[in-house]
Amino acid sequence: MNKDSSYNQSVTYWKQYQKFFPDDMQINEAHLPAEEWMTWNHAHIHLDRMPAPAAPLKIIFIHGAGGNGRLLAPYARMLQSYGYEVVSPDLPPYGLSYADSAESIDYQFWIDILNELIEQELRRDGKPIILLGSSIGGMLAYHTAVQSKRVKGLIATTFVDTSDPKVRDQLAPNKLISRLGGWCMNQFPALLDSLQISVNRVSRMKWITNNAELTRLIMNDPHAAGTRIPLRLLRTFLNMKPVLEPQQFDLCPVLLVHPQLDPMTPYCFSKPFYDHLKSRKESVILEGAGHFPIEQQGLEQMIAAVLAFLRTVEEELQLT
């Protein structure tokens, strides 16, 4: 991958996803994100931007283990249509992003990239930042908000706390991979960290959506679930423990918009972490929606909940 790569011109697999979204969310030639690159600490980060110059808030949209920034573009277009600017990074090695040394990528590196992006966006125009995390991006947004301390709101579709062994078992294809595989990675990092493996082999990616055709597309996408990741990234993700426990988290308000019919990360795995959050919080269950929500009823509920949350954050910021 290199900086000549472009979703708008050369890498067009994402176009196959559009038919699964309502017409007013679909990405087409009239509604393309602006593409940018951020180079930081030997990493080259591709950014999709849905600009909104008059936006009162800016949303950084964080993808999960089976996605990339462009896969999330229909949701970003929806937010833009309501006046919000959205920036969606590809976290290396996903999407078009890459690092000069792929084996150096770990989970903290992802958090550091997001913190740098927050700082750059604040220097750009000073607009308050909201983090929106999809799938494991929800917990990544939490870790980032804790370490940044500059975020004004946090939205997540799930909270996947891998410090809980039950959560690790749920994410892996089976307990053998979860427990024996995890033990091997922890015992032999020098030997295994640089090895790369398809995300499909170490996760229950077959449950990423409740639509068989869309699931196949995502799993076969070389820039999404078909990505090969270094075991160092997987090991450090599974071993990540919150720097700040949820009982102490009061840095910003939180909205959980959790799909109701999510076999990949059912609500019961997000609920304990959410329940312990100290901050002002709200949970909305997206009726009829799968892990990657495309179902009409769930989408409508998600849009209503997110917009209400953003308006409340705006009002609170105006009072401070």
Side-chain angles (χ1 to χ4, degrees), residues 6-273:
S6 164
Y7 287 124
N8 293 348
Q9 297 178 1
S10 57
V11 180
T12 58
Y13 191 103
W14 58 270
K15 293 183 178 181
Q16 299 176 75
Y17 298 130
Q18 303 314 304
K19 66 181 181 180
F20 299 97
F21 293 95
D23 289 346
D24 59 353
M25 291 178 65
Q26 291 180 17
I27 303 302
N28 52 44
E29 294 301 320
H31 298 281
L32 289 173
E35 296 186 272
E36 302 172 7
W37 287 90
M38 178 183 89
T39 297
W40 175 80
N41 202 15
H42 308 293
H44 309 277
I45 314 302
H46 180 274
L47 306 173
D48 264 356
R49 185 183 300 273
M50 287 293 197
L57 302 171
K58 186 179 298 181
I59 298 158
I60 294 180
F61 204 167
I62 305 169
H63 65 77
N68 56 49
R70 183 54 62 99
L71 183 58
L72 302 177
Y75 306 99
R77 181 190 168 190
M78 176 272 296
L79 289 166
Q80 183 195 41
S81 72
Y82 285 96
Y84 296 102
E85 183 157 329
V86 185
V87 182
S88 304
D90 290 342
L91 295 169
Y94 286 88
L96 306 185
S97 295
Y98 62 98
D100 292 340
S101 177
E103 58 270 19
S104 67
I105 299 171
D106 62 18
Y107 193 65
Q108 183 60 49
F109 191 53
W110 275 10
I111 297 170
D112 293 342
I113 287 170
L114 290 169
N115 280 326
E116 177 63 22
L117 177 58
I118 290 168
E119 293 302 317
Q120 290 198 18
E121 291 300 320
L122 288 172
R123 289 196 296 270
R124 182 184 181 115
D125 54 29
K127 291 180 180 177
I129 300 290
I130 307 293
L131 297 183
L132 170 52
S134 171
S135 185
I136 69 164
M139 199 68 204
L140 179 56
Y142 175 86
H143 292 306
T144 302
V146 166
Q147 295 187 31
S148 167
K149 298 182 176 61
R150 304 261 272 166
V151 174
K152 301 304 181 183
L154 170 59
I155 307 170
T157 64
T158 68
F159 283 121
V160 179
D161 181 9
T162 54
S163 64
D164 183 342
K166 293 179 181 178
V167 173
R168 295 196 297 271
D169 288 346
Q170 172 64 26
L171 294 175
N174 53 61
K175 287 186 178 179
L176 180 66
I177 291 178
S178 171
R179 299 186 181 183
L180 181 59
W183 181 86
C184 288
M185 285 190 292
N186 288 330
Q187 292 299 310
F188 308 106
L191 181 64
L192 299 177
D193 267 4
S194 63
L195 298 181
Q196 298 191 27
I197 190 168
S198 170
V199 178
N200 291 321
R201 293 185 176 274
V202 292
S203 67
R204 304 194 188 199
M205 205 56 66
K206 64 181 180 180
W207 291 341
I208 192 169
T209 84
N210 291 346
N211 179 291
E213 183 183 357
L214 178 56
T215 295
R216 283 194 298 271
L217 279 173
I218 294 174
M219 290 182 69
N220 291 328
D221 188 342
H223 300 289
T227 298
R228 295 175 64 85
I229 63 170
L231 287 183
R232 175 184 174 91
L233 175 58
L234 179 62
R235 175 178 63 81
T236 53
F237 161 67
L238 293 174
N239 289 336
M240 185 66 182
K241 292 179 171 57
V243 174
L244 185 68
E245 293 295 334
Q247 294 90 335
Q248 284 78 50
F249 182 86
D250 60 357
L251 299 174
C252 66
V254 176
L255 171 65
L256 176 63
V257 280
H258 203 293
Q260 178 189 37
L261 305 178
D262 180 357
M264 192 176 192
T265 53
Y267 178 67
C268 62
F269 290 93
S270 293
K271 187 177 186 298
F273 190 90

